[in-house]
Amino acid sequence: MDVLLAWNAETHTALSETGATEYFGNVRRRANARSSARVSGHVGASRQPNVGERRYQTLRAGQTTEVHAPSGPTLAVVKTTPVSGLGNQLAALRAAQDKYHAPKWWSRFAAHPVKSGLAAVLLLFLITIGAIAGPIAWRSYSAYKQIFNTPIPQVQSALDVQVNDEGTPYLVGINETQVAEVADWDGTSRITILLMGVDRREDEPSRSDTMILVNIDPVAKTARMISIPRDLRVFVPGKGVYKINAAYALGDYDKSVAGGGPGLTMRTLEANFGIDINYYAEIDFDGFTKIVDTVGGVTIDVPYPIKDNEYPGPGNQYMRIYFPAGWQHMDGEQVLQYARTRHDDSDLYRSKRQQQILLALRQQAVSLDLIEKAPQLIQDFGDAIGTDLSPTQAVKLARLASEIGPDQIQQLSLDSAIWAVEDTEYYFQANWEVVGDIMSDLTGEEIVPPNATIDDPNFDVQVSILDGSLIYGLGPRVLESVNGLGFANATTADLPDAGNYPTTEIYVSQENLPTGVYLARSLGLPDTAVKITDNPTTPTPADTSGVVKVEETPVPEGTVQVSSMFPTSTAGADDDADKGDAGVIIIRMGDDMPDPAWYSPVP
């Protein structure tokens, strides 16, 4: 900068001294020289067009360029700093500009009349297919999610049951229950499936109106099936004593139950019958009628005239139905009525009709080759069907069922093992040893129902109920329940350290173990709540003063009603009997004790 200032100052002084004449003369000479060069076609030395290019090449080479000031009395040299990489940046900028302005591939494709026309037709076809198949695919996906559910975990029984030399089952002890891993069906082992027809309702829990156990032997290509009467009285795990069809409603209502209604129904059958159920499949009434109509109805031989003046109709009203004897073709609604009616005969005959319908539907499905139409059927009936089989297992079982001839399907019955009881309600009671023989025929292995070991409880035993919870009035309500079961010699007392017992335990001697399990199941407690001790005595509580029972929830008014599993109790029949000889059972209630105030015989 100092050099430039010095040069400007000297130039100004020189111009001042020599005057304007010399300066303008030089300007005129340069102009004349340029004009002469244009006329002659040559470029004069004073106008060299390649000077800028040489300077650019010099800058790229990183050399120092000397810039000479105009001729004058005193010239100063200005040195510039080399600019490295400038050429590379300029080249990259030029390439980017060329790429941006170049025509795109789609513009070249669109300019081609044949290619662009084919592309337009293909795009229109895809949009049309998407508009049609999109909703169908979504419905199919939703149907698959509704039909195929998570497998229900299997729970091993806590009861250690053995059979003596006379063939009589007896209870040895209590084991800790364990959740068993559900192994995938290998396709060759025998498999037991629970089929359920569900009475699904909007304003109340659903019920399983139909229960059929099917055992399939894939190797021998044979099958056995048996119906479970809905009015059979059983223990519902964690709930108490109910008709077996209430298990679905209780599980459907209680969201904490694994598997909901199907899960609790499977656990109920396993806990009472002593069998292992691998999978389940269910269908509601609407889906059942649709499936029958889809296959074109079924033709059934009605064995005798059936009329029912109290068949449940629309709007909770009764309607009259009638079926004459003989062969007749029925649609979906008629088949449902034929399967559900029971007032003219009984629940046992209804079970036989349901098996008759199932076999007729199977034969119709095989003749129509409905296996190949499985995807469409899944989409149509996704909201009415449910199973914990996988899609692959379901198709494999369907193909296997089609390969089993009608003469290879054996129908079993519980008629010889159950009888009707007319008490405050109508229900069936079972001889569980005979039930075990029938279940052994069904599964092909020896089955010992747990109920067979506890079907003769000792109602004369002394029951001591110790309330260790903080629920107001729980002790008297449980006492009323125990008395209702048939135990007349029972008492209750509050523990002074109430609130320190998270779980309920039942202390029994070895000889009273079956009675302790009967009490546990009747009161809604797990089998593992029963503890075997040599001499059950009242536990000595901690010396805690000032513990007061508090009321946490309101208690409904009225009499507590608890159903007895075996209402043939002889307790109190012999008043002179020595009750002390029967032994003692101690129920120490904890925070998990189900409150009988909330029991509902009809859930």
Side-chain angles (χ1 to χ4, degrees), residues 486-564:
F487 296 90
N489 190 21
T491 59
T492 184
D494 292 340
L495 291 175
D497 60 344
N500 294 324
Y501 304 99
T503 59
T504 300
E505 295 182 346
I506 300 179
Y507 300 97
V508 300
S509 59
Q510 181 66 46
E511 57 270 19
N512 281 327
L513 177 58
T515 304
V517 174
Y518 173 79
L519 272 170
R521 292 190 168 192
S522 299
L523 296 175
L525 294 168
D527 296 338
T528 52
V530 181
K531 309 296 180 183
I532 302 175
T533 180
D534 294 335
N535 184 22
T537 57
T538 302
T540 302
D543 186 10
T544 305
S545 59
V547 177
V548 181
K549 301 286 284 186
V550 296
E551 183 175 358
E552 294 183 343
T553 56
V555 179
E557 298 179 354
T559 303
V560 176
Q561 296 180 358
V562 177
S563 301
S564 174

Side-chain angles (χ1 to χ4, degrees), residues 104-175:
K104 304 298 185 293
W105 67 268
W106 57 81
S107 62
R108 297 193 301 270
F109 185 84
H112 197 288
V114 178
K115 293 181 178 180
S116 59
L118 291 176
V121 173
L122 179 60
L123 180 61
L124 180 62
F125 175 76
L126 292 177
I127 293 175
T128 304
I129 293 298
I132 297 175
I136 296 177
W138 174 252
R139 288 196 301 269
S140 300
Y141 173 74
S142 301
Y144 268 96
K145 290 195 66 176
Q146 290 179 340
I147 291 178
F148 300 104
N149 303 316
T150 303
I152 298 174
Q154 293 182 339
V155 180
Q156 296 178 349
S157 175
L159 303 184
D160 185 3
V161 179
Q162 296 183 12
V163 180
N164 58 23
D165 296 336
E166 289 76 20
T168 303
Y170 64 98
L171 189 58
V172 177
I174 303 292
N175 302 317

Side-chain angles (χ1 to χ4, degrees), residues 6-134:
W7 179 80
N8 288 334
E10 293 177 357
T11 303
H12 179 73
T13 304
L15 289 174
S16 299
E17 293 177 351
T18 58
T21 302
E22 184 178 356
Y23 172 76
F24 288 108
N26 293 332
V27 172
R28 244 187 329 270
R29 284 193 296 271
R30 289 195 296 271
N32 292 333
R34 287 195 296 270
S35 299
S36 300
R38 285 195 296 269
V39 173
S40 60
H42 299 283
V43 180
S46 61
R47 187 67 172 177
Q48 301 181 21
N50 294 328
V51 171
E53 183 179 357
R54 288 197 302 270
R55 290 186 60 196
Y56 174 70
Q57 296 294 338
T58 303
L59 287 174
R60 290 194 60 182
Q63 300 176 358
T64 302
T65 303
E66 294 185 356
V67 181
H68 298 279
S71 59
T74 304
L75 297 179
V77 178
V78 179
K79 294 185 178 181
T80 60
T81 303
V83 182
S84 61
L86 179 61
N88 294 335
Q89 296 178 9
L90 291 174
L93 180 60
R94 174 65 62 84
Q97 291 175 342
D98 294 341
K99 183 179 179 180
Y100 178 78
H101 291 292
K104 304 298 185 293
W105 67 268
W106 57 81
S107 62
R108 297 193 301 270
F109 185 84
H112 197 288
V114 178
K115 293 181 178 180
S116 59
L118 291 176
V121 173
L122 179 60
L123 180 61
L124 180 62
F125 175 76
L126 292 177
I127 293 175
T128 304
I129 293 298
I132 297 175

Side-chain angles (χ1 to χ4, degrees), residues 141-271:
Y141 173 74
S142 301
Y144 268 96
K145 290 195 66 176
Q146 290 179 340
I147 291 178
F148 300 104
N149 303 316
T150 303
I152 298 174
Q154 293 182 339
V155 180
Q156 296 178 349
S157 175
L159 303 184
D160 185 3
V161 179
Q162 296 183 12
V163 180
N164 58 23
D165 296 336
E166 289 76 20
T168 303
Y170 64 98
L171 189 58
V172 177
I174 303 292
N175 302 317
E176 291 295 329
T177 57
Q178 296 180 353
V179 177
E181 294 291 336
V182 180
D184 291 337
W185 179 51
D186 56 11
T188 59
S189 303
R190 296 186 67 159
I191 184 174
T192 302
I193 302 174
L194 171 62
L195 306 179
M196 291 180 290
V198 180
D199 183 7
R200 205 177 305 280
R201 308 181 183 186
E202 295 182 358
D203 301 331
E204 54 184 293
S206 304
R207 288 176 177 268
S208 54
D209 192 79
T210 302
M211 285 166 286
I212 299 177
L213 289 172
V214 179
N215 184 271
I216 301 175
D217 188 342
V219 177
K221 296 291 194 302
T222 59
R224 295 179 175 89
M225 58 192 303
I226 188 171
S227 296
I228 308 299
R230 51 171 281 175
D231 292 331
L232 179 64
R233 178 171 283 186
V234 295
F235 295 109
V236 179
K239 304 299 180 182
V241 179
Y242 291 92
K243 291 182 179 180
I244 195 169
N245 71 321
Y248 194 103
L250 292 166
D252 190 37
Y253 178 78
D254 188 353
K255 304 305 179 183
S256 65
V257 175
L264 189 56
T265 303
M266 293 174 67
R267 297 292 83 81
T268 300
L269 287 167
E270 291 176 339

Side-chain angles (χ1 to χ4, degrees), residues 377-457:
L377 294 176
I378 288 174
Q379 178 182 331
D380 293 340
F381 304 109
D383 57 346
I385 303 174
T387 182
D388 58 349
L389 285 162
S390 68
T392 304
Q393 291 171 334
V395 173
K396 185 184 297 185
L397 273 175
R399 294 189 182 279
L400 177 61
S402 66
E403 298 172 0
I404 300 176
D407 56 340
Q408 297 299 317
I409 301 177
Q410 183 181 0
Q411 295 177 258
L412 304 178
S413 174
L414 289 174
D415 293 6
S416 61
I418 62 177
W419 63 92
V421 176
E422 290 282 355
D423 197 0
T424 56
E425 61 175 344
Y426 175 85
Y427 62 92
F428 286 113
Q429 198 166 340
N431 182 329
W432 291 101
E433 288 193 34
V434 179
V435 169
D437 296 336
I438 298 174
M439 290 296 109
S440 298
D441 292 339
L442 176 72
T443 61
E445 57 185 12
E446 185 179 2
I447 300 296
V448 180
N451 284 358
T453 66
I454 60 176
D455 61 354
D456 188 21

